[in-house]
Amino acid sequence: MTNLNRRTALQVLGVGALVAAGGVPLAYGTEARDSASIAWPSDVPSWDPNQRFGPDAQPLFKMVFDQPVGQNPDLDLVPELLEEWELSDDAMELRFRVRDDVVFHDGTKMTAEDIRYTFFERIKAGHPIDIANTWRRVEDIEVISPTEGVMRFSSPMPTAPQWLAFQGGFVVPKHYLEKVGLEGFREKPVGTGPYRLVEYQMNSRMVFERHEAYWRGPAPLKRITVDVIKESSARVAAIQSGQTDLTINVPVREAERLGESGKLIAELNPITRVILLQVRHDLAFADENVRLAAHHAIDKQALSKAFYGGAAVPLSVMAPPGTPGEVADFEIPYDPEKAKALLAESGFSPDNPVKLTLAATNGHFPSDFDIARALLQMWKKVGIEAELDVIEYAKYFELNRGDKLPEATLYSWDNATGDPEIFTGYMLNPEMPFSSWKGDEPGPQVLELFKEPDYEKRVAGYRDLNRRASEMGAVMPLLQSVQTLVRKPDLTYEKFGNGWVLGRTLEWDAE
């Protein structure tokens, strides 16, 4: 039985009682057509948007902050806080021009000094922020004028534009952070985004009010309330009862059921995330036969059909269909007999199984726990006995950074840009804290690709790396991730290929 915390249990019981009694629940947070309520599965790591990477936090950060470079719904890079940028041929410099009509929530104008502070001065000052890894090659940012500057790198950084649009790359106000300090900023964040954070209760509730001087123009809705509801069953109850107007990451079967009711719109949207098994190079997986057997024993098509209605595309490399790193003619096939033969070469069988541990979350992404249990059954048939260790999403980061994940970890890897460096490159870069694989290979190839300034050569190199990494069992891609989204029929939003649900695009249809 799933353990619910007290707040979640009260939500479920309260909603259930009203429905059972035939009553109409209160439309909590949806009284006016200029506001909306969202049920979200997780909180932000903190309100310092440079501090920690977290995929599901990005739409929340984008309420309050903007990035230098944006993306359109098709994930092409587009101007945001930067009007223009140009990467030098050797990828050693990036020249940029800042918009001159952007103000922070406190009315202060944003300038190139804020770009320098965010991506250079904070790192040099030793602030505990994840972008210190991303931008470690920044040697200096020269401010030429309030609207012009140059990023200079110590070695080629060909994906600098992509990283300006990716996780953690939000511009923060130099004047305000230096005035109130790190703690003051986290308690009361100030950005340039479409909304101001006016109320925040950790792991519970956040309320955003429209930034009227937003440079794109005021957002359609004046007020957005986000309730953090970690249990997927509670999110289902909230949207079904009318307590909330939109939610994501509910079980696929529940989404389909809610959509069939005729009262809600349910969507299963393939996005640029990869469901995969992150693996170690040691412990039971030090044996390549065991790694490859584990991969060949997985029926990915069955997983997609059972848990995603067939919408999740099976993958053999770390790249969803249509992204640059895709290797269309390559497959790690489902072949349980080959898996048994590989295990037999190392002395294992169903009667003498190899033993290992699989870590997985429960409710972080749709059907994660169900997939994990299915994997255990598939492995058992060929001679792999796995113990399931259920971990919290936040615990995953702690374990990975401490090199304490088990042989295999079921995870959903986010890449809002689709660039192969942010898939395979960061997954296998031995100098980064994101990889559980610490083997000698293919690290050197990854490091060389990080310096390759020619786009076509770089992408070709990643395609080769993607194939090689799967062939040696350094990573086990499973499926293209699917985002489930359920909303009221008259609440519209702009759909992004990376699964972003942006508050500034939410709008009620005219009555």
Side-chain angles (χ1 to χ4, degrees):
M1 180 177 179
T2 302
N3 291 320
L4 303 182
N5 61 37
R6 182 176 182 274
R7 177 179 181 273
T8 300
L10 289 173
Q11 288 175 326
V12 175
L13 292 172
V15 169
L18 282 168
V19 173
V24 179
L26 293 174
Y28 176 67
T30 63
E31 301 85 357
R33 301 294 289 184
D34 60 359
S35 64
S37 174
I38 298 172
W40 204 253
S42 56
D43 201 350
V44 296
S46 86
W47 277 107
D48 180 348
N50 309 141
Q51 183 181 354
R52 288 287 179 269
F53 291 171
D56 287 336
Q58 300 311 295
L60 303 178
F61 285 143
K62 282 180 172 291
M63 294 277 212
V64 178
F65 304 96
D66 288 314
Q67 296 180 271
V69 177
Q71 291 178 265
N72 64 19
D74 294 328
L75 308 188
D76 301 315
L77 299 182
V78 296
E80 193 157 300
L81 295 181
L82 301 187
E83 286 186 317
E84 300 175 0
W85 65 89
E86 182 179 5
L87 189 66
S88 63
D89 291 341
D90 60 2
M92 294 291 288
E93 286 188 356
L94 185 138
R95 292 183 172 270
F96 60 87
R97 181 183 296 275
V98 179
R99 296 184 64 95
D100 65 357
D101 59 350
V102 180
V103 295
F104 289 103
H105 297 152
D106 63 359
T108 304
K109 198 164 189 174
M110 187 211 70
T111 72
E113 290 286 354
D114 298 297
I115 303 291
R116 174 182 165 84
Y117 180 76
T118 300
F119 298 102
F120 181 66
E121 293 181 18
R122 292 201 72 187
I123 297 168
K124 291 299 181 184
H127 290 189
I129 50 180
D130 275 357
I131 63 168
N133 285 311
T134 306
W135 298 100
R136 69 195 187 284
R137 284 176 280 177
V138 176
E139 201 168 57
D140 191 18
I141 300 180
E142 178 187 358
V143 174
I144 299 172
S145 74
T147 59
E148 294 178 284
V150 183
M151 279 187 166
R152 295 194 172 90
F153 310 119
S154 58
S155 61
M157 192 168 179
T159 53
Q162 283 81 3
W163 276 103
L164 289 172
F166 194 53
Q167 293 192 45
F170 295 93
V171 176
V172 298
K174 176 179 180 177
H175 72 281
Y176 181 71
L177 241 160
E178 289 183 337
K179 176 182 177 181
V180 302
L182 285 173
E183 290 304 317
F185 178 73
R186 291 169 186 156
E187 291 176 6
K188 189 175 181 180
V190 168
T192 63
Y195 288 90
R196 296 179 298 110
L197 181 68
V198 296
E199 180 183 334
Y200 177 60
Q201 300 171 27
M202 184 181 294
N203 289 319
S204 177
R205 174 181 169 90
M206 54 194 82
V207 179
F208 304 92
E209 288 188 354
R210 187 166 64 191
H211 176 31
E212 298 295 341
Y214 188 48
W215 59 273
R216 296 179 192 265
L221 299 181
K222 290 184 178 180
R223 188 179 179 92
I224 296 177
T225 300
V226 175
D227 286 310
V228 178
I229 304 178
K230 296 183 179 182
E231 291 287 342
S232 60
S233 59
R235 294 197 299 278
V236 169
I239 190 71
Q240 182 174 355
S241 69
Q243 177 187 0
T244 195
D245 303 314
L246 180 150
T247 192
I248 65 167
N249 291 3
V250 300
V252 173
R253 293 186 184 89
E254 292 290 356
E256 292 174 337
R257 178 182 66 81
L258 293 170
E260 290 169 358
S261 71
K263 299 178 181 179
L264 295 164
I265 299 293
E267 304 173 9
L268 273 66
N269 301 320
I271 57 175
T272 52
R273 293 188 190 180
V274 172
I275 300 171
L276 74 151
L277 290 176
Q278 280 185 269
V279 303
R280 298 182 67 103
H281 73 290
D282 55 5
L283 305 179
F285 273 169
D287 187 331
E288 184 173 306
N289 286 336
V290 175
R291 299 197 303 268
L292 296 180
H295 203 168
H296 283 293
I298 299 171
D299 188 343
K300 300 172 186 178
Q301 193 66 58
L303 294 177
S304 177
K305 185 177 180 180
F307 304 122
Y308 298 104
V313 178
L315 300 178
S316 290
V317 298
M318 274 289 292
T323 60
E326 180 186 14
V327 185
D329 60 347
F330 175 71
E331 182 184 10
I332 299 288
Y334 169 56
D335 190 340
E337 293 307 313
K338 184 171 184 177
K340 290 179 182 178
L342 286 165
L343 288 171
E345 289 180 24
S346 295
F348 300 109
S349 68
D351 294 328
N352 180 36
V354 59
K355 297 183 179 182
L356 54 85
T357 300
L358 169 66
T361 52
N362 185 359
H364 172 60
F365 63 89
S367 302
D368 49 0
F369 184 65
D370 292 331
I371 291 174
R373 291 192 298 178
L375 291 176
L376 265 57
Q377 295 304 311
M378 292 176 184
W379 284 346
K380 185 176 182 179
K381 292 177 181 178
V382 300
I384 300 173
E385 183 179 314
E387 178 183 354
L388 181 58
D389 182 13
V390 179
I391 59 174
E392 291 285 336
Y393 178 54
K395 186 70 173 179
Y396 159 81
F397 293 99
E398 177 186 333
L399 293 173
N400 199 7
R401 290 172 190 277
D403 193 26
K404 294 181 180 179
L405 287 174
E407 286 93 342
T409 301
L410 181 65
Y411 188 63
S412 176
W413 185 276
D414 176 69
N415 182 357
T417 72
D419 191 273
E421 178 185 292
I422 302 173
F423 275 128
T424 317
Y426 272 71
M427 175 69 68
L428 297 177
N429 189 321
E431 296 182 355
M432 297 288 179
F434 310 109
S435 176
S436 59
W437 178 268
K438 308 296 184 185
D440 293 335
E441 297 292 336
Q445 184 180 355
V446 177
L447 295 177
E448 287 302 311
L449 287 171
F450 265 65
K451 298 184 289 185
E452 175 55 62
D454 183 276
Y455 180 82
E456 295 301 330
K457 289 181 180 179
R458 185 172 68 84
V459 169
Y462 273 111
R463 290 191 186 119
D464 177 67
L465 174 61
N466 279 343
R467 182 172 185 147
R468 184 182 175 198
S470 291
E471 286 177 335
M472 66 185 292
V475 65
M476 298 182 199
L478 301 181
L479 302 165
Q480 179 180 12
S481 190
V482 174
Q483 180 194 67
T484 54
L485 183 147
V486 184
R487 59 183 170 88
K488 292 182 177 177
D490 52 347
L491 180 63
T492 62
Y493 75 106
E494 192 167 24
K495 189 179 298 185
F496 283 73
N498 52 24
W500 285 344
V501 181
L502 302 186
R504 64 176 176 79
T505 73
L506 291 175
E507 190 168 7
W508 293 102
D509 284 340
E511 293 184 284

